Amino acid sequence: MEAVITILALLFVAFIALGVYMTVKAVGAAKRGVDRTITQARRTVEDTTLRAKSFGQPGVAGELAQLRLALRTSMRATQDALHAGVAADSSLAESVGLFRRLSAHGLELDEELKRLEREPDRATVAGLLPQLRERTERITHSADSLRWAARDRARQFADDDLDALNAQIDIEAGALRHWSVEEQQQSGQGPGAGAPQRRDTGVDWPEPAAGGGSSSTADDSWGGPAGEEAPQAITAPDPRLRTTYPWQKSARPETTN
């Protein structure tokens, strides 16, 4: 009985611990979701503000806003492309590492541009603009190169996979149409194939006449050379002439003395 109570107590404690763990995990996931939503909302508001400044404010402030907007747009697009590609292609891990190093320079430049937006000395800021513009172009160029290289790699893999799939489909389609090949082989290699077939003219050859004679119609059907007379048929003796009757005398054989 004590063992049963102990087992039930352990199960109760285990359920309590599992409940606490699941609660902590749920709270952490909710907190991360809220933080992500807040960060996304703050980022959207900041990008909208920068876009409004770049179009609405002339001079140094507008140019700084344009540089920040171009930098943030390029870095965010590259980050999304690399993170989406590394899940399917592990060889992009090195590219992700390079982008992290590039992101450090990008964040540093973004913070510097943000400070210069609040700088009251506009003349000094205007003198720094060529250098800031060059740094922004170098960072965005590197980010764009990584992003397009990752996209080209993914597209090449997709094209190779499509080519292999098309080849397999062609082989399978040929295998499914094997009956047409067999029919062609049978029609081309069957008995009597390739040999000219005799046409039945429907002519019945006449039988030879009794007594070895031949019909003049059969002779005329062959046709001799032009101007040459056809050979005359030999008339067979009339068998009635050889018939003996009782009133006829038979010939006596000659006796020799």
Side-chain angles (χ1 to χ4, degrees):
M1 189 64 182
E2 294 179 357
V4 175
I5 295 174
T6 304
I7 293 174
L8 292 176
L10 292 176
L11 291 175
F12 179 75
V13 172
F15 281 122
I16 294 296
L18 182 61
V20 171
Y21 175 77
M22 294 300 295
T23 303
V24 171
K25 293 289 290 182
V27 171
K31 184 177 182 299
R32 287 193 298 271
V34 171
D35 293 340
R36 191 180 304 112
T37 303
I38 294 174
T39 302
Q40 185 68 27
R42 185 184 299 113
R43 184 181 302 166
T44 303
V45 171
E46 192 169 2
D47 290 344
T48 304
T49 304
L50 289 175
R51 190 173 289 106
K53 288 181 179 180
S54 62
F55 289 105
Q57 292 184 357
V60 178
E63 191 166 354
L64 290 175
Q66 291 178 3
L67 293 178
R68 287 192 63 194
L69 185 61
L71 177 64
R72 292 164 65 89
T73 302
S74 176
M75 298 297 288
R76 189 177 299 117
T78 304
Q79 179 180 2
D80 295 341
L82 291 179
H83 287 174
V86 75
D89 188 3
S90 58
S91 61
L92 292 178
E94 185 176 357
S95 300
V96 173
L98 293 175
F99 177 74
R100 288 173 181 170
R101 295 173 56 186
L102 183 64
S103 296
H105 294 277
L107 292 174
E108 181 181 357
L109 178 60
D110 185 66
E111 291 294 333
E112 184 175 357
L113 293 173
K114 189 175 181 179
R115 288 195 306 268
L116 292 176
E117 286 180 349
R118 299 188 297 268
E119 178 65 37
D121 190 357
R122 294 301 180 182
T124 304
V125 176
L128 295 176
L129 280 178
Q131 181 183 359
L132 295 172
R133 190 182 302 109
E134 181 183 359
R135 288 177 59 188
T136 304
E137 290 177 355
R138 290 176 60 186
I139 294 175
T140 55
H141 175 72
S142 298
D144 293 342
S145 298
L146 282 177
R147 182 174 69 255
W148 285 110
R151 291 177 177 175
D152 292 342
R153 182 181 179 86
R155 184 170 57 252
Q156 183 63 37
F157 284 165
D159 292 342
D160 293 343
D161 184 69
L162 181 59
D163 292 340
L165 180 60
N166 289 335
Q168 293 178 1
I169 290 176
D170 291 341
I171 294 174
E172 182 65 19
L176 292 176
R177 295 192 182 96
H178 69 281
W179 75 86
S180 61
V181 179
E182 291 180 357
E183 289 179 355
Q184 293 177 2
Q185 292 179 354
Q186 291 177 0
S187 62
Q189 299 179 2
Q197 298 181 357
R198 295 182 57 183
R199 297 175 56 188
D200 188 5
T201 58
V203 177
D204 295 331
W205 297 106
E207 296 180 359
S214 61
S215 173
S216 62
T217 307
D219 293 338
D220 293 340
S221 64
W222 286 95
E228 183 177 346
E229 295 183 356
Q232 299 293 329
I234 300 175
T235 304
D238 191 355
R240 292 178 298 177
L241 298 178
R242 295 182 181 182
T243 304
T244 58
Y245 295 95
W247 60 83
Q248 291 182 349
K249 296 181 179 181
S250 61
R252 288 183 178 181
E254 295 181 359
T255 57
T256 57
N257 295 326

